[in-house]
Amino acid sequence: MRVLVVEDEPYLAEAVRDGLRLEAIAADVAGDGDAALEALGVNSYDLVVLDRDIPGPSGDEVARHIVASGSGIPILMLTAADRIDDKASGFESGADDYLTKPFELRELVLRLRALDRRRGHARPPVRELAGLRLDPFRREVFRDGRHVALTRKQFAVLEVLVDAGGGVVSAEDLLERAWDANADPFTNAVRITVSALRKRLGEPWVIATVPGVGYRIDTPAREGDSWTEPRA
């Protein structure tokens, strides 16, 4: 999951970004409305954490832009005001959820996970595929009942692959979804992470490499499928 955090208080923005990364959620930060709109025009995000009171275009204006774009990106709005009229105004601008400052990071993560689940057409909280059981709320992975300890980045990559339901995910898409804006587009981090993840999950290999295309969870073969030996 990749999130855009729009917050003009640098310390809070950095704390949220670092906290989300600890939960295997890639996060970029924008300090004002203009930077937020620029980031939204360049990158693909699963969710936006949006402070209402930001310089430049306000949080409400950014929210209306997101809605008008038709992207369907869920918005969790932050505000220092807890009056119902303020929240009503934010919801009218396009917010999907609200969190009043100060807040616990754990609650923010839980709300983001819930919004992401609803965005995924009511997919179940715990995802199961090809013997894998992935729980994003507890950040746990099991394979055939065996617990598998993963790094944060390995978990983020596996979550993207499992969410694809066995569909192929390109290295570019993995870099876009599991890394942040500081990632080098020419890095081999995706190949290295997938290789390490495959080894952590163990044999028989559950992540297939589709030559020249990307990676996918190796669900039972269908007629016409063609795979190479597992390699990153």
Side-chain angles (χ1 to χ4, degrees):
M1 186 197 307
R2 187 173 178 182
V3 174
L4 175 63
V5 178
V6 186
E7 170 59 61
D8 66 326
E9 297 180 29
Y11 292 111
L12 177 58
E14 292 175 9
V16 170
R17 179 197 63 196
D18 294 345
L20 293 180
R21 288 176 177 174
L22 289 175
E23 296 291 333
I25 299 174
D28 298 333
V29 170
D32 56 49
D34 287 321
L37 294 175
E38 181 179 355
L40 287 164
V42 173
N43 303 310
S44 296
Y45 294 102
D46 299 299
L47 296 159
V48 175
V49 177
L50 179 60
D51 187 356
R52 287 193 73 186
D53 301 315
I54 52 175
S58 68
D60 287 353
E61 291 176 283
V62 173
R64 285 193 287 268
H65 170 84
I66 293 173
V67 172
S69 72
S71 64
I73 304 173
I75 302 167
L76 190 154
M77 197 166 276
L78 303 177
T79 181
D82 59 359
R83 295 180 305 176
I84 190 64
D85 288 345
D86 292 315
K87 292 184 177 182
S89 176
F91 281 122
E92 290 169 358
S93 298
D96 296 278
D97 198 359
Y98 236 108
L99 197 54
T100 304
K101 298 178 182 178
F103 56 85
E104 294 288 337
L105 179 66
R106 182 59 178 160
E107 181 177 2
L108 173 64
V109 171
L110 290 172
R111 288 176 180 269
L112 289 176
R113 290 291 188 189
L115 285 173
D116 184 53
R117 185 176 74 245
R118 292 200 293 270
R119 180 185 62 86
H121 304 293
R123 64 189 176 206
V126 177
R127 273 84 103 178
E128 297 189 21
L129 182 70
L132 296 173
R133 185 176 188 274
L134 185 146
D135 186 340
F137 287 89
R138 296 179 180 273
R139 205 156 65 78
E140 292 180 339
V141 172
F142 293 84
R143 183 177 185 193
D144 297 327
R146 172 180 59 88
H147 178 261
V148 181
L150 300 180
T151 67
R152 292 188 294 273
K153 193 59 66 180
Q154 290 167 356
F155 185 93
V157 168
L158 183 61
E159 185 175 12
V160 174
L161 291 173
V162 169
D163 282 348
V168 179
V169 181
S170 69
E172 293 77 12
D173 284 344
L174 282 173
L175 193 65
E176 177 82 12
R177 295 281 306 283
W179 276 261
D180 57 31
N182 296 316
D184 180 356
F186 301 104
T187 184
N188 60 356
V190 172
R191 179 180 61 80
I192 293 172
T193 302
V194 169
S195 178
L197 173 59
R198 183 181 281 131
K199 292 176 182 177
R200 285 285 184 97
L201 293 172
E203 297 185 20
W205 307 121
V206 72
I207 300 177
T209 300
V210 185
V213 183
Y215 308 95
R216 60 160 285 177
I217 299 298
D218 198 4
T219 53
R222 297 166 299 180
E223 185 177 354
D225 284 347
S226 177
W227 312 112
T228 63
E229 290 297 316
R231 59 180 175 81

